[in-house]
Amino acid sequence: MAEISLKEAALIVGVVAACYWNSLFCGFVFDDVSAILDNKDLHPSTPLKNLFQNDFWGTPMSEERSHKSYRPLTVLTFRLNYLFSELNAVSYHFLNLIFHGVVCVVFLKVCKLFLDNQSSIVACLLFAVHPIHTEAVTGVVGRAELLSSIFFLAAFLSYTKSKGPDNTIVWTPIALTVFLVAVATLCKEQGITVVGICCVYEVFIAQGYTLPVLWDTAVQILRGKGSIPFSMLQTLLKLIVLMFSTLLLVVVRVQVIQSQLPVFTRFDNPAAVSPSPARQLTFNYLLPVNAWLLLNPSELCCDWTMGTIPLVESLLDVRNIATLTFFCLLGSLIVFSLRYPGDSSKTVLMALCLIVLPFIPASNLFFPVGFVVAERVLYVPSMGFCILVAHGWKKLSNRSMLRKISWVCLVVVLFTHALKTLHRNWDWESEYTLFMSALKVNKNNAKLWNNVGHALENEKNFERALQFFIQATQVQPDDIGAHMNVGRTYKNLNKTKEAEKSYMIAKSLMPQIIPGKKYAARVAPNHLNVYINLANLIRANESRLEEADQLYRQAISMRPDFKQAYISRGELLLKMNKPLKAKEAYLRALELDKTNADLWYNLAIVYIELKDPTEALKNFNQALELNPMHKLALFNSALLMQESGNAQLRPEAKQRLLNYVKEEPQDANGYFNLGMLAMDDKKDAEAEAWMKKAIKLQPNFRSALFNLALLYSQTAKELMALPILEDLLKYYPDHTKGLILKGDILMNQKKDIVGAKKCFEKILELDPNNVQGKHNLCVVYFEERDLIKAEKCLVETLALAPHEEYIQRHLNIVRSKITSLSAPEQSSVPAGDTATAAAEEKKKSFQNLKEVKNEQKPSQTTAGNNKGHSKNKKQAERNSMEKKETPKKSTKDIKDIEKKRVAALKRLEEIERILNGE
């Protein structure tokens, strides 16, 4: 086996780098989104065992929607990328570039087994620059081809060392070959086909048999005129070991997919569901189509599904000539390679093996696949093609008349292919550039129009996206997904009538329910989302909630394991005030997927609605066990702990809020609730810092402003509270509690009776029946020494709250004061003593009034206008106007009553927020 020199390796690697350097500037596009961005198996928090239980896209192999593509070792390399750079696309593309370089170097070593040194370099250079490889190299998901190819070629090279001196068997390379085959298969399924190449190599290359020799030997044995030669017995033994190992791998692979083939639709592969002879004619025609892409890679397309290649429905179709020509050429090459001895025939035979055998799994000839043509699956077959081209070029260049022409042609081909590859890489820069380049090649594929629309939709360019989606429906009128896209875009444009019309068209294209028949066999599972989307649209209308529920139930009847239908129905049932039925829906969904943190979170919300905070907290904890950084679970479980009043839970609540603000550093709610926790713990300085941070992020944060002012007033910093209250009342002039607190500070600290009076009068303008505001105004009248007006005011206040003893008590004090001031004997009292007595009585009376004022149970808080903060605002004001001394009720009693009220209000706010979040 010829060795590779350092110069040769440097040349190959340099060419690869020159052709693919610009791939480093490309992002995640097309299938990369599902395999990388949406694949939780890449995250360090996901157990490693999940890689061996899920498919390439992160879907459990046991689920029917699974693609059944089992490539755990490839996903493991993605996970390593994520570990070092998370979702930085450069590192993913860089590793693909390195793997392609490794494949090229190993391929050069394989070429030297069958070609001379010069031809081997030509074959390797052609392979390195061939434009057909851009999908495998520049597309990140193409790494499956690259990794599988490395171990594919390594397994073959290992097997070539299994023949020892005197035709003995060397078992170590065979054992290594079996191991490498298994590894190649775990990178991509086609890796197992290297076993077939090893078998052909053993019989026709290592042993030097030809088809006539094998035929004559078989005939002699069958006639009883001879025995099997020892060398042939050794060959059979090696082949049996290889085949047995392969069979074992196949059995394991079948067990992994649970004996189920993936479900594809007619949109993915129209020929697969076509009747005879259209199916056979089309599948056979696809072979020369793939061969033409290798010969002339001028028009490349990332997606060849749907109507890209029209069906060949008749024997009279002119395209059958291409099929016939292809098979004639292939047959002649096979006959030449098997019938005649010599190095040339051996080279052709191995080239054909590399072309044909790895392509068989994607050929549609034995089982349907999810595509019509895929350029990336030609990565390994192109190796055989390059060997054939290099071998033919060598034959031509050996002729003196054609030597110069052959060299010129070779340079032109290599140069143009390299330029095409470099240019093609830019197509993979973004989804928009990729799909627009595909539309230049093929305008009959509705999926391409849809994908351009998706790319524009992601950029919030809904108007232009709608044009492409509508075009998709015109290219393929029965494409359910295209009509769903149109409906969704109309919804984003707030055109609900048009959206509903499009969803109804999509729904009409769905097959009717057939009792007892498996639904998934007749339509793609994602098409069932039409029921979800339509229901989500119409449930915005309160009068159509039952209609929406009927749609969810229809989706479930079609597919009992449709998890999203249960989730969406659970949300709707909560909105319909049916928490028990919502609980049933979520529990059913959890039976289908117990590892879904969102489901546990939703179930926790149901338990809150059912007034079972203990179970709610358990479910929040379960969600966090599955996803420690589940933001909503972190936030709401912390609130639940805070509301429980259990001081032992506060440290954990604080830690969860700290984790939340780490994930959402721009959300003022997190800092605000950290401030509330600090207030509960009497950590005034810490509470002040958190409140200020919340206000800095959101200057009009109603609850943060009020509670910071309240904090100042409770810590003898009343004058610092005034500017905060000014800001609060600037944003919310009708904030009753803010007005009460401001009036109290003005009256008691600033001695600004006029300012306090304005505050209390403003309260009564907003709410004439506000007992606390009315009572405080009575205090102002008392401060103004207008006892008659104070008496009248207290009488009116008592009428509003006749059962409040403190109002009656203070009314009696005021009347007593009026009586004492008007009595004749007061005239005999010295003036100074009169003034002193009056002042002391006034002070005592005001202190009593002030105390009673603070007994008053806080009125119900007013919901704020800031979206996303309602769940916090109720809690934020729960401590407002509470003081520590209460003659009739203890502070603990007041807090318990208020916390129960706040918890009920916050629950309603939280449930509404969840239901409104589609």
Side-chain angles (χ1 to χ4, degrees), residues 381-404:
S382 68
M383 295 178 184
F385 170 78
C386 292
I387 290 176
L388 271 183
V389 172
H391 183 60
W393 172 83
K394 187 64 177 179
K395 293 287 185 183
L396 292 176
S397 64
N398 285 338
R399 298 183 181 183
S400 58
M401 295 179 59
L402 300 175
R403 182 174 293 114
K404 290 183 179 181

mmCIF file of all heavy atoms in Angstrom, residues 381-404:
data_model
loop_
_atom_site.group_PDB
_atom_site.id
_atom_site.type_symbol
_atom_site.label_atom_id
_atom_site.label_comp_id
_atom_site.label_asym_id
_atom_site.label_seq_id
_atom_site.Cartn_x
_atom_site.Cartn_y
_atom_site.Cartn_z
ATOM 1 N N PRO A 381 -20.741 8.031 -3.367
ATOM 2 C CA PRO A 381 -20.742 7.587 -4.772
ATOM 3 C C PRO A 381 -19.837 8.427 -5.670
ATOM 4 O O PRO A 381 -19.295 7.913 -6.648
ATOM 5 C CB PRO A 381 -22.213 7.728 -5.171
ATOM 6 C CG PRO A 381 -22.962 7.510 -3.907
ATOM 7 C CD PRO A 381 -22.122 8.157 -2.842
ATOM 8 N N SER A 382 -19.660 9.713 -5.347
ATOM 9 C CA SER A 382 -18.793 10.547 -6.178
ATOM 10 C C SER A 382 -17.337 10.097 -6.107
ATOM 11 O O SER A 382 -16.547 10.402 -7.007
ATOM 12 C CB SER A 382 -18.901 12.020 -5.742
ATOM 13 O OG SER A 382 -18.349 12.207 -4.459
ATOM 14 N N MET A 383 -16.973 9.362 -5.055
ATOM 15 C CA MET A 383 -15.619 8.812 -4.988
ATOM 16 C C MET A 383 -15.379 7.846 -6.138
ATOM 17 O O MET A 383 -14.343 7.913 -6.830
ATOM 18 C CB MET A 383 -15.403 8.095 -3.652
ATOM 19 C CG MET A 383 -15.459 8.988 -2.431
ATOM 20 S SD MET A 383 -15.239 8.022 -0.908
ATOM 21 C CE MET A 383 -15.483 9.283 0.325
ATOM 22 N N GLY A 384 -16.333 6.956 -6.343
ATOM 23 C CA GLY A 384 -16.217 6.028 -7.467
ATOM 24 C C GLY A 384 -16.213 6.748 -8.797
ATOM 25 O O GLY A 384 -15.465 6.396 -9.716
ATOM 26 N N PHE A 385 -17.055 7.780 -8.902
ATOM 27 C CA PHE A 385 -17.101 8.575 -10.130
ATOM 28 C C PHE A 385 -15.746 9.222 -10.396
ATOM 29 O O PHE A 385 -15.251 9.217 -11.541
ATOM 30 C CB PHE A 385 -18.192 9.635 -9.998
ATOM 31 C CG PHE A 385 -18.190 10.658 -11.093
ATOM 32 C CD1 PHE A 385 -18.713 10.357 -12.338
ATOM 33 C CD2 PHE A 385 -17.662 11.935 -10.885
ATOM 34 C CE1 PHE A 385 -18.707 11.310 -13.366
ATOM 35 C CE2 PHE A 385 -17.657 12.877 -11.886
ATOM 36 C CZ PHE A 385 -18.178 12.566 -13.133
ATOM 37 N N CYS A 386 -15.123 9.787 -9.362
ATOM 38 C CA CYS A 386 -13.824 10.449 -9.533
ATOM 39 C C CYS A 386 -12.738 9.443 -9.925
ATOM 40 O O CYS A 386 -11.841 9.771 -10.722
ATOM 41 C CB CYS A 386 -13.433 11.173 -8.250
ATOM 42 S SG CYS A 386 -14.483 12.597 -7.883
ATOM 43 N N ILE A 387 -12.794 8.232 -9.379
ATOM 44 C CA ILE A 387 -11.829 7.192 -9.769
ATOM 45 C C ILE A 387 -12.014 6.831 -11.235
ATOM 46 O O ILE A 387 -11.024 6.691 -11.985
ATOM 47 C CB ILE A 387 -11.992 5.949 -8.870
ATOM 48 C CG1 ILE A 387 -11.508 6.266 -7.449
ATOM 49 C CG2 ILE A 387 -11.213 4.770 -9.437
ATOM 50 C CD1 ILE A 387 -11.717 5.137 -6.458
ATOM 51 N N LEU A 388 -13.264 6.715 -11.675
ATOM 52 C CA LEU A 388 -13.532 6.403 -13.090
ATOM 53 C C LEU A 388 -12.993 7.503 -14.001
ATOM 54 O O LEU A 388 -12.357 7.223 -15.031
ATOM 55 C CB LEU A 388 -15.039 6.249 -13.318
ATOM 56 C CG LEU A 388 -15.656 4.868 -13.139
ATOM 57 C CD1 LEU A 388 -17.141 4.924 -13.472
ATOM 58 C CD2 LEU A 388 -14.962 3.838 -14.027
ATOM 59 N N VAL A 389 -13.258 8.760 -13.637
ATOM 60 C CA VAL A 389 -12.801 9.884 -14.453
ATOM 61 C C VAL A 389 -11.276 9.917 -14.504
ATOM 62 O O VAL A 389 -10.667 10.097 -15.575
ATOM 63 C CB VAL A 389 -13.358 11.219 -13.899
ATOM 64 C CG1 VAL A 389 -12.719 12.404 -14.625
ATOM 65 C CG2 VAL A 389 -14.876 11.265 -14.058
ATOM 66 N N ALA A 390 -10.627 9.745 -13.358
ATOM 67 C CA ALA A 390 -9.164 9.775 -13.311
ATOM 68 C C ALA A 390 -8.566 8.625 -14.122
ATOM 69 O O ALA A 390 -7.556 8.795 -14.822
ATOM 70 C CB ALA A 390 -8.684 9.706 -11.868
ATOM 71 N N HIS A 391 -9.205 7.468 -14.042
ATOM 72 C CA HIS A 391 -8.728 6.304 -14.815
ATOM 73 C C HIS A 391 -8.884 6.553 -16.315
ATOM 74 O O HIS A 391 -7.975 6.264 -17.109
ATOM 75 C CB HIS A 391 -9.519 5.066 -14.389
ATOM 76 C CG HIS A 391 -9.065 3.815 -15.057
ATOM 77 N ND1 HIS A 391 -7.773 3.319 -14.950
ATOM 78 C CD2 HIS A 391 -9.727 2.940 -15.882
ATOM 79 C CE1 HIS A 391 -7.660 2.201 -15.647
ATOM 80 N NE2 HIS A 391 -8.841 1.958 -16.221
ATOM 81 N N GLY A 392 -10.027 7.107 -16.690
ATOM 82 C CA GLY A 392 -10.231 7.422 -18.108
ATOM 83 C C GLY A 392 -9.291 8.505 -18.589
ATOM 84 O O GLY A 392 -8.769 8.440 -19.717
ATOM 85 N N TRP A 393 -9.066 9.499 -17.738
ATOM 86 C CA TRP A 393 -8.124 10.566 -18.108
ATOM 87 C C TRP A 393 -6.727 9.999 -18.325
ATOM 88 O O TRP A 393 -6.023 10.406 -19.267
ATOM 89 C CB TRP A 393 -8.093 11.621 -16.992
ATOM 90 C CG TRP A 393 -7.015 12.646 -17.181
ATOM 91 C CD1 TRP A 393 -7.059 13.752 -17.953
ATOM 92 C CD2 TRP A 393 -5.698 12.617 -16.592
ATOM 93 N NE1 TRP A 393 -5.878 14.439 -17.897
ATOM 94 C CE2 TRP A 393 -5.022 13.767 -17.069
ATOM 95 C CE3 TRP A 393 -5.038 11.747 -15.736
ATOM 96 C CZ2 TRP A 393 -3.706 14.047 -16.701
ATOM 97 C CZ3 TRP A 393 -3.738 12.037 -15.366
ATOM 98 C CH2 TRP A 393 -3.081 13.171 -15.842
ATOM 99 N N LYS A 394 -6.317 9.063 -17.483
ATOM 100 C CA LYS A 394 -4.990 8.463 -17.630
ATOM 101 C C LYS A 394 -4.868 7.716 -18.947
ATOM 102 O O LYS A 394 -3.834 7.795 -19.646
ATOM 103 C CB LYS A 394 -4.708 7.509 -16.454
ATOM 104 C CG LYS A 394 -3.292 6.953 -16.419
ATOM 105 C CD LYS A 394 -2.283 8.072 -16.216
ATOM 106 C CE LYS A 394 -0.866 7.526 -16.110
ATOM 107 N NZ LYS A 394 0.118 8.621 -15.939
ATOM 108 N N LYS A 395 -5.931 7.025 -19.330
ATOM 109 C CA LYS A 395 -5.931 6.302 -20.603
ATOM 110 C C LYS A 395 -5.758 7.269 -21.771
ATOM 111 O O LYS A 395 -5.014 6.999 -22.727
ATOM 112 C CB LYS A 395 -7.245 5.528 -20.768
ATOM 113 C CG LYS A 395 -7.440 4.375 -19.785
ATOM 114 C CD LYS A 395 -6.551 3.208 -20.129
ATOM 115 C CE LYS A 395 -6.847 2.015 -19.218
ATOM 116 N NZ LYS A 395 -5.937 0.884 -19.501
ATOM 117 N N LEU A 396 -6.441 8.404 -21.688
ATOM 118 C CA LEU A 396 -6.354 9.387 -22.764
ATOM 119 C C LEU A 396 -4.991 10.075 -22.786
ATOM 120 O O LEU A 396 -4.405 10.300 -23.860
ATOM 121 C CB LEU A 396 -7.456 10.441 -22.607
ATOM 122 C CG LEU A 396 -8.895 9.967 -22.823
ATOM 123 C CD1 LEU A 396 -9.863 11.093 -22.525
ATOM 124 C CD2 LEU A 396 -9.090 9.468 -24.267
ATOM 125 N N SER A 397 -4.487 10.416 -21.613
ATOM 126 C CA SER A 397 -3.219 11.151 -21.557
ATOM 127 C C SER A 397 -2.033 10.278 -21.968
ATOM 128 O O SER A 397 -0.967 10.806 -22.305
ATOM 129 C CB SER A 397 -2.989 11.697 -20.147
ATOM 130 O OG SER A 397 -2.859 10.637 -19.222
ATOM 131 N N ASN A 398 -2.214 8.975 -21.947
ATOM 132 C CA ASN A 398 -1.126 8.082 -22.382
ATOM 133 C C ASN A 398 -0.980 8.081 -23.898
ATOM 134 O O ASN A 398 0.041 7.612 -24.424
ATOM 135 C CB ASN A 398 -1.364 6.662 -21.881
ATOM 136 C CG ASN A 398 -1.063 6.535 -20.392
ATOM 137 O OD1 ASN A 398 -0.315 7.346 -19.843
ATOM 138 N ND2 ASN A 398 -1.642 5.543 -19.751
ATOM 139 N N ARG A 399 -1.986 8.590 -24.584
ATOM 140 C CA ARG A 399 -1.919 8.679 -26.037
ATOM 141 C C ARG A 399 -1.311 10.025 -26.403
ATOM 142 O O ARG A 399 -1.808 11.074 -25.987
ATOM 143 C CB ARG A 399 -3.308 8.542 -26.650
ATOM 144 C CG ARG A 399 -3.952 7.185 -26.344
ATOM 145 C CD ARG A 399 -5.299 7.065 -27.026
ATOM 146 N NE ARG A 399 -5.941 5.787 -26.717
ATOM 147 C CZ ARG A 399 -7.105 5.407 -27.233
ATOM 148 N NH1 ARG A 399 -7.761 6.219 -28.071
ATOM 149 N NH2 ARG A 399 -7.608 4.230 -26.902
ATOM 150 N N SER A 400 -0.276 9.983 -27.179
ATOM 151 C CA SER A 400 0.479 11.209 -27.490
ATOM 152 C C SER A 400 -0.390 12.272 -28.146
ATOM 153 O O SER A 400 -0.221 13.467 -27.902
ATOM 154 C CB SER A 400 1.673 10.874 -28.397
ATOM 155 O OG SER A 400 1.215 10.241 -29.595
ATOM 156 N N MET A 401 -1.351 11.858 -28.976
ATOM 157 C CA MET A 401 -2.184 12.824 -29.687
ATOM 158 C C MET A 401 -3.152 13.563 -28.741
ATOM 159 O O MET A 401 -3.551 14.693 -29.003
ATOM 160 C CB MET A 401 -3.005 12.118 -30.777
ATOM 161 C CG MET A 401 -2.140 11.525 -31.896
ATOM 162 S SD MET A 401 -3.137 10.694 -33.133
ATOM 163 C CE MET A 401 -4.188 12.016 -33.684
ATOM 164 N N LEU A 402 -3.529 12.906 -27.655
ATOM 165 C CA LEU A 402 -4.527 13.484 -26.763
ATOM 166 C C LEU A 402 -3.944 13.981 -25.440
ATOM 167 O O LEU A 402 -4.675 14.450 -24.578
ATOM 168 C CB LEU A 402 -5.616 12.433 -26.456
ATOM 169 C CG LEU A 402 -6.382 11.894 -27.666
ATOM 170 C CD1 LEU A 402 -7.330 10.781 -27.242
ATOM 171 C CD2 LEU A 402 -7.165 13.010 -28.353
ATOM 172 N N ARG A 403 -2.603 13.899 -25.292
ATOM 173 C CA ARG A 403 -2.005 14.224 -24.002
ATOM 174 C C ARG A 403 -2.274 15.682 -23.612
ATOM 175 O O ARG A 403 -2.730 15.984 -22.509
ATOM 176 C CB ARG A 403 -0.499 13.955 -24.045
ATOM 177 C CG ARG A 403 0.185 14.228 -22.684
ATOM 178 C CD ARG A 403 1.651 13.835 -22.686
ATOM 179 N NE ARG A 403 1.804 12.396 -22.804
ATOM 180 C CZ ARG A 403 2.344 11.764 -23.852
ATOM 181 N NH1 ARG A 403 2.794 12.477 -24.874
ATOM 182 N NH2 ARG A 403 2.447 10.464 -23.885
ATOM 183 N N LYS A 404 -1.956 16.632 -24.549
ATOM 184 C CA LYS A 404 -2.131 18.047 -24.225
ATOM 185 C C LYS A 404 -3.605 18.391 -23.986
ATOM 186 O O LYS A 404 -3.947 19.125 -23.058
ATOM 187 C CB LYS A 404 -1.567 18.904 -25.345
ATOM 188 C CG LYS A 404 -0.039 18.865 -25.430
ATOM 189 C CD LYS A 404 0.454 19.791 -26.512
ATOM 190 C CE LYS A 404 1.987 19.778 -26.591
ATOM 191 N NZ LYS A 404 2.505 20.693 -27.634
#
